[in-house]
Amino acid sequence: MVRAVGGSLPEQKLAHLAAYEEACEQQQGGAYLRREGLYSSLITEWRRLRDAGVLQGKKPG
């Protein structure tokens, strides 16, 4: 279980993404979001940041 959402550290966001994607493979994505108190819009934003490399330390832009 991963906590701390609003001002989450990049490592925590990556951990949430990994856990959510694993839950989705088991058709449990919605349950994961409810259990962790997350919104799908956060997952979408964190994926965008991850894919841009920002969560791995790259500067945006």
Side-chain angles (χ1 to χ4, degrees):
M1 184 181 294
V2 183
R3 286 284 179 216
V5 176
S8 293
L9 298 172
E11 299 83 24
Q12 292 168 323
K13 292 176 184 177
L14 289 170
H16 273 301
L17 283 172
Y20 173 72
E21 289 169 350
E22 183 177 323
C24 285
E25 291 175 7
Q26 301 167 9
Q27 306 297 310
Q28 296 295 315
Y32 179 81
L33 294 177
R34 287 188 296 277
R35 183 174 61 247
E36 296 296 323
L38 299 172
Y39 293 99
S40 61
S41 59
L42 279 176
I43 297 296
T44 301
E45 177 67 13
W46 293 348
R47 278 183 176 153
R48 188 184 65 75
L49 292 171
R50 178 195 63 196
D51 294 347
V54 175
L55 295 180
Q56 288 86 5
K58 284 179 60 179
K59 298 289 181 194

